[in-house]
Structures are given as C-alpha cells and as structure tokens.
Amino acid sequence: MPRSVPTICPYCGAGCGFYVNVEKGRATNIEYMADHPASEGALCSKANASLEVLYHPDRLLHPVKRSGDQLTRISWDEALEAAARGLAGTLRRFGPDAIGILSSSKCSNEENYLIQKLARLLGTRNVDNCARLCHAPSVVGLNRSLGAAGMTNPFADLANSRCIFVIGSNLAENHPVMSRWIHKARSKGAIVIVADPRRTPTSWMADHFLQLRPGTDVALINAMASVAIEQGLIDRQFLDLWTCGYQELKSSVKDCTPSWAEGITGVPAEDIVSAAQAYAASPASSILYSMGITQHTTGTDNVQALANLALICGQIGREGTGLLPLRGQNNVQGACDMGALAEFYPGYRRADDPSSIEHFRQAWSASDLPVGRGLTATEMIDAAADGRIRAMYIVGEDPVNSEPHGGHTITALESLDLLVVQDIFMTATASHADLVLPAAAWAEKEGTYTSTERRVQWSCRAVDPPGEARTDLQIVCSLGKRLGLPLDYPDASAVLAEINRLVPAYQGITRDRLGPGGLIWPCPSVNHPGTPILHSSGFKTADGRATLLPVHYRPPAEKPSERFPFTLTTGRIALHHNAGSMTRRSPSLMQRAPNLFVEINPADAARLQIEDGDDVEVSTARGRTRAAARTTGRVSRGVVFMPFHFPGTNILTPDARDSQAGIPEFKVAACNISRSD
Ligand SMILES: Nc1nc2c(c(=O)[nH]1)N[C@H]1C(S)=C(S)[C@@H](COP(=O)(O)OP(=O)(O)OC[C@H]3O[C@@H](n4cnc5c(=O)[nH]c(N)nc54)[C@H](O)[C@@H]3O)O[C@H]1N2
Ligand SMILES: Nc1nc2c(c(=O)[nH]1)N[C@H]1C(S)=C(S)[C@@H](COP(=O)(O)OP(=O)(O)OC[C@H]3O[C@@H](n4cnc5c(=O)[nH]c(N)nc54)[C@H](O)[C@@H]3O)O[C@H]1N2
Ligand code: SF4
Ligand SMILES: [Mo]
C-alpha cells in the first residue's frame, strides 16, 4: 500500500510541510500539503527537487577513515571507537577547552539538544551552530532590547499589516513561499518598502525602493526614527507604558537628518522621509529583515536600530506589526532554543550564570558542568589554527565553504589532531576529516523542527537511510555511551519529553499534541494553545518594558581602495542552498543554475572591457576566485555580488566581525575584478 508521510522541508526556516509518498519502502514523489498554515500547499523549487538529493548516488553510505590521502571504509564499531578514543585522549592531554563542537541547524531539536548535552557533559563550553553566521546579532540585540529574540508575529499575520518594511532580506528568493503573504497584504492595499543595495525580486514588490550603499543601514534607520520624532508620528502612550530610554534615544538621533543620511546611504532624503512617514503613520506596520542587516560588523547595532524604530512608533505587540527576523536554516531557531550556542544553555539560560548551570547539573545528574561563554564557531576556527583547539566534532555544517576567509579555515582544520565530520555528503569540510560518519537525512528520521515563526512541527520518518547511514540521534547517543556519558534515549519522543521538562517555552509542546501545523512557542503548559504574537502584554524583561538602546553609525571594516576599488557583497539565489552540498547535487536545479557568477553593473563592466558571460577573476586581500561575469543593472556601480553556493566565494570574504555577536562581515569586502585572459 502506498503511504503519504508528512515531513517538514529540509531547506529554509519557512517551515513548509509536504508529504513524501512511499511505495515498497521507496519515496516515489512528493505531494503538496494544502492545509499547512504557513505554506498552504505551496513549495519552492528546492523542496520540489528534494528527492533528487535524498536519492543521490553520492550519499555517504559507510563510515570512513582517512590516513594520508587514503580514505578507507571502516565499521561503525571502529568509527565510534576511534572518535571516542580521540576525544577522550584530547580531553586527558589538553583539557575540555581543547574540544570544539559544531551542532547542526539542519538537525532536529532533539538532535541539537543531545549534541549540546554531549558537549557540556564532556566538559567543553565550545558548542555553537551556524546561527553564528546568520542571526547571532538578532539573538544578542533583540534579547537585550525586547527580552526575546524570536520573530514576533507569524507570516499569515502580514495580511493584517498596512505597511511592510523589508530591509536586508530577499525573501522572494530565500523564503519564496512566504513572500506570498506580502502579495496578499499588497492586494489588500498595504504599502511595501524595500531597502537593499541590489534590485532583487523582492524589490519588485516595493512601492518605495531604497537602494542604500552596503553597510549603511544604521544611518538610514536612525534617520527614519528622527523623521518620526520630528513629525510627531511616534506613539507617546506606548513609549510611556512599555519602554525606557526614550530621552536618550531622541537626543541620539537628533542630528540624523535625512540629508545627513543621504550623504552616507546614497538614498535621496525625500525617499527616506516618505518611507519613514509610511512606516510610522500606518495603523499597523511590520519590519522583516535578515542577512542584509545581520552580516555586518554593525550587525547588532543594525538590529537594535530596527527595534528602536518599531518601539518608538508603537509598531509591536499587535496584529500586523512586529519585528520579523527571518531565520535561515530549517531548524536554526530550534538549534538556538536547544542551547547549541556558545552563550546559552537550553531555553536561553545564560552559560555564565551559575544558577542556570546548577539547574542543568541537577537535571542531568552531572557531577560538574562548564560555566561561562564558550568559543563561537568562528572563534573555534581561530583556536584550531593556533592550537588551542585540538579536536573538533562537526555535525551537519560545511565551514570550509561557509565560514569567511576559506584559506584560513582550511589551515585551521588541517592543524587539528582529530576532525570528525558527520554529514549526508562528502563536503569540502569532510574531505579534511580524519573520520566521516554517514548521517540519515530528514525523510529518513523523525523529530521536531522549529521554523522561523517559532512553529514547532513533527516531521515523520518516510524511508530507511541508505547503506549503513544512521540518524544523528543514534550516532550522538552511541558516541556518548562510548565516552561513558549517560546519553541513552530510544527515540526522539524520549528526548522531546526531557526538553518538555527543561525548556519552559516548550513545556506544553508534547509529542501527542503535535498534529499538522504544530504549536508555536512559548507554550508553557499542555493546555496552552501556543503564542503566535509576542509582546502583546509587555516584554519578557525584569520590569516588563523594552529598552531603547541608542546606536551610532559606523562604516564597514573594509573601504574600497586603489587596489580593491569595488565593494563585494555576497548572498543567495533562489535555486541553491547555502554551501550547496545538497542543491549542487540536484540535476534539475543545476540545469537552471549551473555555475558561480558575479553580478557587475554594465557601466563598470564596459570600463573594464568585461562582457556578459566572460570568465573573470575576483580578488580581495584574502585570495582570488574565478566566476562568470553577469552584467546587470541589479547592482549599482561600484558594487559586485556573488552567491556563496559554489566553492570559491568564501575564499574572498573578510575576517572582520561584529564585536557583540561575533558574526562575520559577509556583506562587505573591498575587492577587485578583472578579465582572466
Ligand atoms: N534559495 C535559498 N534560500 C535560502 C537560503 C539559500 O541559501 N538559498 N539560505 C537560508 C539561510 S541559512 C538564510 S540565513 C536565509 C537568508 O536570506 P536573506 O537574508 O534574504 O539572504 P541574502 O541573499 O544573504 O541577503 C539578503 C539581502 O541583503 C542584501 N544586502 C546586502 N548588503 C546589505 C546591506 O548592507 N544592507 C541591506 N539593507 N541589505 C543588504 C542583499 O543584497 C540581499 O538581497 O535564507 C534561507 N533561505
Ligand atoms: N559568503 C557568505 N557566506 C555565508 C553566508 C553568506 O550570506 N555569505 N551566510 C551564512 C549563513 S546565514 C549560514 S546559515 C551559513 C550556513 O553554513 P553551513 O551550515 O555550514 O552550510 P550548509 O551548506 O547549510 O551546511 C549544512 C550541511 O548539513 C548537511 N546535512 C543536511 N541534512 C543533514 C542531516 O540531517 N544530518 C547531518 N549530519 N547533516 C545534514 C548538508 O549536507 C550540509 O553539508 O553560511 C554562512 N556563510
Ligand atoms: S520556502 Fe523554504 S521551507 Fe518552503 S519549500 Fe522553499 S526551501 Fe522549503
Ligand atoms: Mo543562515
């Protein structure tokens, strides 16, 4: 009998659901889930092609070990023994700080919970996930301003917005199914503002398009706040009741006039004024943002500037309002909720707060747990390079292609005594590993995933993993047991039951309550319906008020120079996903998007005698990469854009980071571009 198995899309944080149809143990096709509350039956190209990836012949089938350049197939017993022996040896010789663990926002909540638990039971503080490269500034900035970092309102609520301000997000390509909600709002008369240095498919939806220079968002946002204040468009009552710090904020933006901001951003002052008026004066305005805001040395400042704007205009805590940081990976929200982060234990209990640690020490019957913030993902790479970290266990991440300054990443990983990589494919990172462990993919396992809406959904197992691949949950438990750690869980439900006990926002999200559409956290008890809108009755801070935190414009770390006269910005396209290990294996996606390209303005191209399709070399202070030139008015003069889905892009990106959240400045590098004859 054919079966239809409900699963959650393994790509982005939108959390679309679809069915995998199974016949005789094999997935035959996928089927749309018309009653899914966020995706309503729609799917984008990547999900439509997902079975090509699931059944790709490159899937890892057996554990392998590397000696020299030689890869040898070994048994699970040998692989787990070697991994455990290597980690235990590092622990003995160099102590727990010499171990670094990267958890995976591709994995379920249960798997992330176990990976961070394994790390902390081993005694290391160094556990992190790719949120570090993504929304770490939202976690830091919004927790500080509002007391919670999640997306405040669900997508469907955009239909209630009268004005939607999209800044630094290209959701038409990167959360494509969710951009339908903006179309719906527009058809009901909502005004759309888009601020982006590039003309993207998202900008095509805009009534006001603000084409700012890369890295100048604080100037733009502060100027919008200043217009709202000058023109009396702020919400006095809301400010008095729910916020503190207004006078300081007001004086901090006093000189941020629209013409001052025009000089920095390149956006005409009158456009800044009309965007500010549209946002502040509408009865319900929402802000959507993502990597164009966070991936900067000023990432946390950018986030706080947006929170300030929303708060002074009272555009938060109601239907149609709010701050919507669009999460990236399918389970990056969950990986953070589960405490797979350098600064937090599960439920955002601070790693440097002894009472939090005591709470987990008792709950886990541990004799001791590490206190204090660990190294972030990017700091672990640095620490590997200078010998402070000697062993790494990397689950479902590909830092060689996703961390900045790829040459440095490779040197760092090559200096390790032990590198264990657990993935579904042989990635660039895995090719530097001593041990590679084959993992099951999404449709081959069960568990919960938390979408960007904070929607916790159960994804079912449809088929068996290929070859000897095992679920991440099984692998982590077996590794834990060999290390003498109490990690004995029969299945994901058993882990979820522990999460229910230890993470208050997930307390009511029990296995038996997780039907179609799941539940939105916080859901503090088994009778609670979930909380689609945050902050509707005050903020999760000590006194229930949000804090206005003044921020001042600072330029990006790298400025164009004579040697590197262009600004390189990097990001995504609709048809590929992140470092590309999955989508580059889909024939139908590759046919439509086959290679690495660099977008350049036609005027710049003409000056450099570059024609569309030419093979060009892009170089920065870190290295050089070849790509096909794409001449297009999508980028302004002086700016070039490259996606990072093919190897090469991250050879170029800079080391500079945001000092508060540790995120690298993926969005601004000084570069040169020339024809490679
Ligand atoms: N198709 C596809 N979808 C994806 C992914 C994917 O790889 N491919 N990845 C997923 C992940 S992990 C994430 S985090 C999300 C990311 O989703 P997005 O944040 O939408 O992705 P990006 O393309 O990195 O950047 C968004 C926009 O920021 C703009 N930008 C660059 N610099 C600046 C700036 O200084 N200021 C402003 N205001 N804007 C700027 C870029 O031009 C770009 O249009 O997508 C998720 N969904
Ligand atoms: N230049 C530049 N670089 C960037 C960015 C940018 O905008 N520009 N964006 C950054 C952002 S936002 C992000 S999120 C990071 C992403 O960085 P990474 O997380 O390193 O990138 P992915 O390619 O998504 O890697 C996920 C890996 O998990 C594997 N995988 C999939 N499913 C499973 C599973 O069930 N189990 C296991 N064990 N493995 C699995 C995949 O094969 C893949 O290798 O990249 C960052 N890097
Ligand atoms: S929008 Fe995201 S979650 Fe939805 S189908 Fe596309 S990749 Fe999957
Ligand atoms: Mo991301």
Side-chain angles (χ1 to χ4, degrees):
M1 268 296 280
R3 290 183 302 135
S4 256
V5 183
T7 72
I8 302 303
C9 176
Y11 287 111
C12 92
C16 303
F18 59 87
Y19 296 98
V20 174
N21 286 344
V22 182
E23 225 173 315
K24 297 196 182 116
R26 197 172 162 88
T28 50
N29 61 309
I30 63 171
E31 195 173 303
Y32 300 137
M33 194 179 272
D35 56 353
H36 190 277
S39 54
E40 296 183 316
L43 287 183
C44 76
S45 325
K46 295 182 295 302
N48 275 306
S50 57
L51 295 190
E52 294 175 13
V53 175
L54 189 74
Y55 284 127
H56 196 279
D58 288 353
R59 281 291 303 275
L60 293 173
L61 304 178
H62 318 281
V64 292
K65 165 176 103 171
R66 184 172 65 138
S67 16
D69 287 340
Q70 206 61 25
L71 288 176
T72 325
R73 175 177 169 181
I74 52 173
S75 69
W76 269 110
D77 206 41
E78 290 168 296
L80 291 166
E81 193 51 37
R85 207 169 346 97
L87 290 171
T90 306
L91 204 58
R92 236 182 358 261
R93 275 184 295 149
F94 303 103
D97 290 347
I99 294 179
I101 298 188
L102 294 184
S103 195
S104 174
S105 40
K106 283 266 159 271
C107 286
S108 67
N109 286 323
E110 293 72 23
E111 290 166 339
N112 275 286
Y113 177 83
L114 291 182
I115 295 165
Q116 64 79 36
K117 185 169 175 181
L118 173 102
R120 285 156 177 156
L121 289 176
L122 262 181
T124 182
R125 295 171 297 174
N126 305 330
V127 60
D128 213 22
N129 78 84
C130 73
R132 188 65 52 195
L133 311 176
C134 190
H135 268 293
S138 304
V139 175
V140 173
L142 295 184
N143 267 311
R144 207 182 274 162
S145 297
L146 312 176
M151 195 162 117
T152 60
N153 296 50
F155 286 114
D157 183 52
L158 286 174
N160 300 315
S161 296
R162 307 301 300 151
C163 174
I164 300 175
F165 179 23
V166 182
I167 180 162
S169 160
N170 181 12
L171 76 161
E173 291 201 73
N174 300 328
H175 299 83
V177 171
M178 298 307 141
S179 61
R180 291 160 42 261
W181 294 104
I182 299 194
H183 288 294
K184 286 193 190 184
R186 280 199 84 202
S187 66
K188 288 168 65 181
I191 292 170
V192 176
I193 307 166
V194 173
D196 198 302
R198 298 162 53 227
R199 285 193 177 274
T200 61
T202 305
S203 75
W204 303 340
M205 297 192 270
D207 300 287
H208 301 264
F209 176 49
L210 314 177
Q211 192 166 15
L212 79 176
R213 295 192 183 107
T216 60
D217 296 80
V218 165
L220 174 73
I221 303 162
N222 276 358
M224 288 174 71
S226 142
V227 171
I229 292 169
E230 288 296 315
Q231 302 198 354
L233 299 172
I234 57 171
D235 186 338
R236 267 270 159 217
Q237 207 184 355
F238 182 89
L239 279 171
D240 290 345
L241 259 173
W242 296 118
T243 69
C244 54
Y246 176 62
Q247 285 313 324
E248 293 84 336
L249 180 83
K250 184 177 171 187
S251 51
S252 76
V253 298
K254 198 165 88 9
D255 298 328
C256 301
T257 61
S259 52
W260 166 81
E262 174 175 341
I264 294 171
T265 61
V267 180
E270 61 271 23
D271 292 357
I272 300 177
V273 173
S274 38
Q277 287 168 337
Y279 174 80
S282 109
S285 300
S286 50
I287 297 177
L288 276 65
Y289 75 88
S290 124
M291 297 303 100
I293 282 295
T294 56
Q295 290 175 331
H296 292 280
T297 42
T298 57
T300 308
D301 287 354
N302 292 348
V303 169
Q304 284 175 358
L306 286 175
N308 292 339
L309 179 65
L311 288 166
I312 62 170
C313 299
Q315 300 286 18
I316 191 162
R318 291 179 284 120
E319 282 187 350
T321 68
L323 275 165
L324 284 68
L326 304 181
R327 291 304 200 274
Q329 299 264 34
N330 56 333
N331 198 34
V332 66
Q333 180 68 55
C336 296
D337 299 345
M338 294 303 114
L341 279 174
E343 334 50 0
F344 297 106
Y345 270 59
Y348 302 98
R349 302 280 304 246
R350 297 194 63 90
D352 57 8
D353 165 21
S355 73
S356 300
I357 309 300
E358 181 53 25
H359 172 76
F360 287 101
R361 198 190 61 73
Q362 288 188 14
W364 295 342
S365 310
S367 55
D368 207 7
L369 287 177
V371 187
R373 172 190 173 284
L375 298 175
T376 66
T378 313
E379 287 168 350
M380 287 187 222
I381 304 289
D382 292 344
D386 63 27
R388 280 173 294 143
I389 285 208
R390 311 298 292 242
M392 283 189 82
Y393 175 33
I394 300 181
V395 184
E397 292 208 356
D398 188 7
V400 166
N401 283 328
S402 63
E403 287 277 341
H405 193 174
H408 170 63
T409 310
I410 292 173
T411 314
L413 296 182
E414 283 293 336
S415 345
L416 292 168
D417 299 337
L418 175 74
L419 173 60
V420 182
V421 172
Q422 185 166 310
D423 206 290
I424 63 172
F425 289 115
M426 194 71 188
T427 58
T429 303
S431 69
H432 294 277
D434 301 290
L435 289 166
V436 182
L437 309 179
W442 95 102
E444 299 154 358
K445 57 186 180 183
E446 58 172 20
T448 58
Y449 296 81
T450 306
S451 79
T452 184
E453 297 185 299
R454 293 174 280 112
R455 186 186 296 281
V456 184
Q457 308 183 84
W458 186 268
S459 185
C460 293
R461 175 185 173 120
V463 290
D464 289 339
E468 293 177 4
R470 293 184 182 172
T471 67
D472 293 283
L473 187 145
Q474 287 171 321
I475 305 171
V476 174
C477 286
S478 331
L479 183 60
K481 263 185 265 170
R482 292 207 185 220
L483 284 159
L485 307 173
L487 287 177
D488 198 3
Y489 299 84
D491 54 25
S493 300
V495 185
L496 181 58
E498 185 167 316
I499 296 168
N500 295 150
R501 285 197 300 279
L502 290 179
V503 179
Y506 280 67
Q507 201 146 7
I509 307 185
T510 52
R511 172 66 193 101
D512 53 317
R513 291 190 71 201
L514 284 171
L519 284 162
I520 296 186
W521 70 250
C523 179
S525 71
V526 288
N527 305 315
H528 196 283
T531 314
I533 299 183
L534 290 180
H535 314 308
S536 51
S537 50
F539 295 89
K540 276 250 170 320
T541 50
D543 60 359
R545 287 163 185 258
T547 315
L548 293 158
L549 294 160
V551 289
H552 300 280
Y553 168 72
R554 284 180 288 130
E558 283 193 2
K559 285 183 214 45
S561 60
E562 213 170 304
R563 189 162 160 229
F564 299 116
F566 287 89
T567 299
L568 167 69
T569 184
T570 64
R572 300 164 161 77
I573 60 168
L575 295 170
H576 280 290
H577 187 74
N578 288 1
S581 74
M582 295 168 79
T583 47
R584 277 189 281 112
R585 288 190 166 86
S586 157
S588 62
L589 298 173
M590 282 301 279
Q591 198 181 12
R592 294 156 69 194
N595 58 358
L596 180 60
F597 63 84
V598 51
E599 290 181 353
I600 177 167
N601 185 276
D604 288 331
R607 197 167 46 79
L608 298 170
Q609 297 180 321
I610 291 173
E611 285 183 23
D612 194 56
D614 275 358
D615 189 17
V616 295
E617 187 174 86
V618 184
S619 56
T620 66
R622 271 75 50 196
R624 50 193 69 235
T625 287
R626 287 164 87 126
R630 206 174 263 189
T631 58
T632 167
R634 282 193 181 192
V635 285
S636 313
R637 293 186 69 167
V639 176
V640 298
F641 167 78
M642 289 172 88
F644 78 109
H645 311 303
F646 290 82
T649 302
N650 272 326
I651 301 275
L652 305 172
T653 43
D655 297 299
R657 293 167 207 166
D658 174 296
S659 62
Q660 303 173 71
I663 193 166
E665 193 148 61
F666 287 119
K667 292 289 185 263
V668 184
C671 78
N672 195 12
I673 175 165
S674 59
R675 262 178 46 184
S676 44
D677 293 315

